[in-house]
Amino acid sequence: MKADPATPLDFRSTNSLWCSVLVETLVRLGLQRAVVCPGSRSAPLTFALARHPGIEAISVLDERSAAFLALGLAKQQGRPVALVCTSGTAGANFLPAVIEAHESEVPLLVLTADRPPELRDCRSGQTIDQQKIFGRFVRFHHELAAPDRKLALLRYLRQTAVHAYERALRPTPGPVHLNCPFRDPLAPTPEEAPAATTSGAFADFFAGIGNHHSAEGAADFRVEVPGRPRITAATRGVIVVGPTEPADPALMAKRVGRVSRALGWPVLADALSPVRTHARSAGTVVAHYEAILRNDSLAERLRPEIVYCVGGWPTGKVLRSWLQRCDPRAVMIAEGDANRDGLHLRCQHLRAGLGAWSAGFRGHRSPGRQARLWIRAEAAVRRILADGLAVKKGLVEPVCIPVLAGSLPANTLVFAASSMPVRDLEYFWPAGNGRQRFRFNRGANGIDGTLSTALGLAHGDGQPAVLLTGDLALLHDTNGFLSARRLRGSLTVVLINNRGGGIFEHLPVAQFDPPFEEFFATPQEAHFRGLCGAYGVDYVRIRDRKHLSALLRALPARGVRVLEVRTDRKKDAAFRKALLAGAAAEL
């Protein structure tokens, strides 16, 4: 018996029935996409996902790239994406992306195929211990029973799938892991079906399974506790907003602005927060705090008594060090059960939604003396940095940031690679420029999977996307280019090629060479034009900032394109240090 059109189940074999029940349950819960790696043991899962009309199944060769592609897809929609591989070391390659999903609270449904118990620990080939292979980095782990046609076991499968999907979303989103053993035959070879498990037994099998992303099926498990701070007009305070990826960026900025105006406090907004790009509605936004706080006397005058932090602390080391020196009372506003205070301040975690918390603020208070000092310093640094970047001849890394900010169309999705690109964004991205949408992997802050995550975010988004990356981050994930031909959309890669790890030039280890250049900067000699040609990806070498600006103003509607900006790592680092130090001194 083949699939039943009313309930798309595949009765040809035990494995095919089992997997079609699993996939149909997940689809009814809201699953729409699956990233599938090739392999034999995972064949039953692959068949079920590939044949289901409600699933977009994407085939990716490299498991590590596949996992980060799934991460990007899940970030884009805020719903779980299935990630499938065969048995053996294939699943081990998922670990970096699973860790990032855990740390950045992104829902993933990891399905690793496995041999059945009788074929383990006996050198049966392509078999390792996959039990809890992801350790504490998943919200839920379960090994499914070996497939069976018994209705009782199919009901168990259904219930377990519902629970796993819910755990990927609540109470805190993240990855879940189902280990899936299969016996031969793996292909859907027809078998004679017992009468109890023919299509008639499934008439009401999926009744009551609701879509977790629909208005009817979504249950809100968050505890929102509105809190109103006890402050006076004389209280010195700031609002700090770290990297955040909210579902509604404009609404988040509006809510932060409500608090800022009610208190008369400035908002120190990370570049990876929509509060900086939506600055007009976010109150008094300060973008250049990293340069301002390099002036020691001014930093002392700006010392706060209370700090409200929304989401988490920003990337910048200068801001973090300043907060630790000031040791203010801190209130962290963030949902979930995670400890987000890596600065170990006198911090109270308010585990509430921003909407509920901000609703407790009313009215409009004029900025106090300290807030006015922030405003004047911000205006001065903005002018100093703009002048310094404008007169600089040639292409240097910091110059690329205002070119992007001034050239990208509104609503462009920008994925920022870790290390130097994300720091240049924090230093130089202006406030309220054009409302670009920033995305990032700042859970574990690694460079792995950069290209693949960006491809996942760009896939089917409907708007051209941009990846800002250094050469090492791109080289670390070149297998991501294997998915370029499957991209439904557009991704422009702005590649800052300074032949090595620019971030290390700003660390104390740079003073010790050897071994600095070989073991920290790790210069590479990759020929990116040839690399792109091998993958069939368009390539352009940027001549100057006008050339870069022109290409960014007219992003292609489809395909992947690499724009290589060649810079001098040591000269760029020296220029960046001098520019920021000069701005602080001039204040």
Side-chain angles (χ1 to χ4, degrees):
M1 180 180 292
K2 296 184 179 180
D4 179 354
T7 58
L9 301 182
D10 188 342
F11 293 90
R12 288 177 291 179
S13 70
T14 300
N15 283 336
S16 65
L17 175 60
W18 184 266
C19 288
S20 61
V21 166
L22 174 63
V23 171
E24 176 64 15
T25 302
L26 294 173
V27 167
R28 290 177 181 246
L29 292 167
L31 186 73
Q32 296 178 342
R33 287 170 165 173
V35 178
V36 182
C37 300
S40 175
R41 189 58 49 177
S42 54
L45 288 168
T46 301
F47 275 101
L49 289 164
R51 66 179 290 274
H52 198 290
I55 291 287
E56 179 189 6
I58 303 170
S59 175
V60 179
L61 173 63
D62 181 276
E63 284 88 3
R64 189 179 71 168
S65 295
F68 279 100
L69 179 71
L71 180 80
L73 292 169
K75 276 176 172 281
Q76 181 199 105
Q77 292 191 332
R79 67 170 69 209
V81 170
L83 178 61
V84 176
C85 72
T86 191
S87 61
T89 59
N93 289 284
F94 287 167
L95 181 59
V98 169
I99 292 174
E100 177 62 33
H102 166 78
E103 296 290 343
S104 56
E105 300 178 358
V106 177
L108 283 181
L109 185 60
V110 183
L111 306 174
T112 56
D114 202 352
R115 289 184 181 268
E118 67 270 18
L119 291 180
R120 299 176 191 171
D121 297 319
C122 59
R123 292 298 182 99
S124 58
Q126 201 168 324
T127 308
I128 65 171
D129 184 359
Q130 296 178 193
Q131 296 300 306
K132 299 188 177 180
I133 191 172
F134 304 117
R136 61 176 294 272
F137 297 109
V138 292
R139 303 289 189 266
F140 172 67
H141 163 82
H142 181 78
E143 167 153 288
L144 292 175
D148 197 299
R149 286 181 176 269
K150 293 186 178 70
L151 199 56
L153 281 173
L154 292 170
R155 287 170 176 164
Y156 141 82
L157 174 65
R158 176 190 61 194
Q159 187 274 333
T160 304
V162 171
H163 180 68
Y165 195 90
E166 183 175 291
R167 289 294 301 275
L169 291 168
R170 306 181 182 94
T172 303
V176 300
H177 176 213
L178 295 179
N179 197 50
C180 309
F182 295 107
R183 295 188 173 97
D184 290 341
L186 300 172
T189 306
E191 299 173 0
E192 185 176 350
T197 55
T198 58
S199 59
F202 291 86
D204 299 317
F205 188 81
F206 297 103
I209 298 178
N211 189 317
H212 283 238
H213 307 278
S214 67
E216 309 85 47
D220 194 345
F221 283 77
R222 297 173 297 177
V223 178
E224 297 189 338
V225 184
R228 185 177 181 107
R230 296 177 181 177
I231 59 172
T232 69
T235 303
R236 302 190 310 275
V238 294
I239 302 165
V240 175
V241 184
T244 44
E245 298 175 299
D248 190 334
L251 181 59
M252 177 184 177
K254 182 179 178 181
R255 287 169 170 170
V256 171
R258 178 188 183 96
V259 180
S260 173
R261 285 184 288 272
L263 299 175
W265 291 0
V267 180
L268 281 53
D270 191 291
L272 299 183
S273 160
V275 171
R276 190 183 292 196
T277 50
H278 291 71
R280 291 183 181 179
S281 58
T284 303
V285 174
V286 175
H288 297 102
Y289 48 82
E290 280 286 298
I292 293 170
L293 295 175
R294 290 169 192 259
N295 184 305
D296 292 338
S297 62
L298 186 56
E300 182 63 25
R301 293 170 63 191
L302 293 172
R303 178 185 290 267
E305 297 172 276
I306 298 178
V307 174
Y308 287 124
C309 179
V310 178
W313 300 117
T315 305
K317 188 174 182 179
V318 174
L319 173 66
R320 287 169 170 253
S321 298
W322 174 71
L323 288 169
Q324 288 178 312
R325 289 197 309 273
C326 295
D327 191 29
R329 176 192 163 198
V331 180
M332 182 77 66
I333 299 94
E335 296 178 277
D337 56 359
N339 178 4
R340 298 174 184 269
D341 182 22
L343 304 185
H344 305 310
L345 303 180
R346 292 178 291 144
C347 187
Q348 170 193 359
H349 281 75
L350 184 61
R351 305 190 185 280
L354 179 60
W357 178 69
S358 63
F361 294 84
R362 299 283 190 276
H364 188 286
R365 177 177 290 166
S366 297
R369 181 170 58 183
Q370 189 181 56
R372 293 195 301 271
L373 188 58
W374 274 110
I375 294 169
R376 291 196 299 272
E378 169 72 5
V381 170
R382 186 189 309 120
R383 174 184 53 80
I384 295 167
L385 293 181
D387 291 347
L389 292 172
V391 300
K392 178 65 178 178
K393 302 295 183 182
L395 280 171
V396 294
E397 293 172 41
V399 163
C400 295
I401 303 305
V403 172
L404 264 73
S407 305
L408 289 175
N411 204 38
T412 301
L413 185 147
V414 181
F415 185 81
S418 291
S419 294
M420 208 62 241
V422 76
R423 285 165 175 82
D424 273 341
L425 286 173
E426 186 168 28
Y427 298 153
F428 303 114
W429 193 275
N433 64 300
R435 299 189 176 183
Q436 282 75 26
R437 299 174 291 147
F438 280 102
R439 295 290 183 268
F440 44 86
N441 282 346
R442 298 299 291 170
N445 297 356
I447 64 169
D448 36 358
T450 296
L451 175 61
S452 296
T453 307
L455 286 165
L457 283 161
H459 184 76
D461 183 57
Q463 290 278 88
V466 169
L467 164 62
L468 176 64
T469 181
D471 50 311
L472 297 189
L474 187 64
L475 288 171
H476 206 268
D477 189 29
T478 53
N479 266 0
F481 282 128
L482 291 170
S483 301
R485 67 181 182 86
R486 296 180 176 86
L487 175 66
R488 288 193 292 105
S490 163
L491 179 66
T492 294
V493 180
V494 178
L495 166 62
I496 308 298
N497 182 10
N498 60 20
R499 294 184 61 252
I503 185 64
F504 295 106
E505 299 286 350
H506 293 267
L507 300 179
V509 291
Q511 304 171 42
F512 302 92
D513 191 22
F516 172 76
E517 191 66 14
E518 180 178 358
F519 289 93
F520 293 91
T522 56
Q524 306 297 317
E525 301 294 341
H527 184 240
F528 284 100
R529 182 188 296 273
L531 179 69
C532 291
Y535 287 101
V537 171
D538 291 340
Y539 167 92
V540 179
R541 179 175 174 180
I542 299 301
R543 299 187 300 270
D544 51 39
R545 62 186 78 181
K546 288 185 178 179
H547 186 206
L548 176 61
S549 177
L551 292 174
L552 292 175
R553 290 180 187 277
L555 297 174
R558 61 180 61 86
V560 179
R561 177 179 65 171
V562 173
L563 309 181
E564 182 184 8
V565 181
R566 295 188 186 177
T567 66
D568 186 304
R569 172 166 35 92
K570 294 190 179 296
K571 289 181 179 178
D572 285 3
F575 171 75
R576 186 185 290 108
K577 292 175 185 177
L579 181 62
L580 293 171
E586 191 168 338
L587 283 174

